[in-house]
Amino acid sequence: LDFRYIEVTNSVMTGFPGGVFSGVGLTNFNRDKWQDLTSGQRATALKAGAMAAAAGYFNNVAMDKTSAVAAREGGMNIFQANAELRAKVAEFVEADLPVVKGELTDKYGLQDVDAKIETVRGLIEKWKGLTNAPDMTEETLAQLYWDEVLSKVDPATYGMD
């Protein structure tokens, strides 16, 4: 509903692996403004960033539920990706890995790409484990973001060069 997709499509597939939207810079700062803040203010902004990210996630989950009801009432076909389709996507990802490795090496000049890919795979599994708790709340997710990521950022030096 918030992006009015309901007006331009008649079918939605849920549970389809591979979709990630990372385009919202909810807590991005202009570099000059960031550098004008005191270290304490930057620390507060980092803590607020953890809370904002968690709130944004739970807001999106609530909006998805509301949107699904409205979409079904409007006649939209909403269906779940089946296991066969999810398996085909996983097969494609593995088959495409040499292309990705080539681009990372040739186009972007990265070194030790295999190790980087394994690091990312490990992080994905780690975060699946951390975030799949059935009793996850906005507060526990914010604390998780703080503990695992943002508390490790030094507000005295980050973004200051």
Side-chain angles (χ1 to χ4, degrees), residues 83-119:
E84 180 183 354
L85 181 58
R86 289 192 303 272
K88 286 183 179 188
V89 170
E91 288 172 20
F92 170 80
V93 168
E94 290 303 315
D96 195 46
L97 204 49
V99 174
V100 172
K101 288 178 186 180
E103 285 190 3
L104 292 173
T105 302
D106 301 336
K107 187 174 182 180
Y108 298 103
L110 291 180
Q111 304 293 315
D112 204 17
V113 172
D114 287 328
K116 288 175 174 59
I117 289 171
E118 288 311 308
T119 296

Side-chain angles (χ1 to χ4, degrees), residues 117-156:
I117 289 171
E118 288 311 308
T119 296
V120 169
R121 285 180 185 223
L123 288 169
I124 289 168
E125 291 308 311
K126 173 185 175 179
W127 280 92
K128 281 181 183 179
L130 290 172
T131 57
N132 280 338
D135 59 345
M136 180 72 67
T137 65
E138 186 175 316
E139 293 75 21
T140 58
L141 184 58
Q143 190 64 50
L144 182 63
Y145 288 157
W146 176 253
D147 292 344
E148 293 290 327
V149 181
L150 292 166
S151 68
K152 298 173 183 174
V153 175
D154 179 2

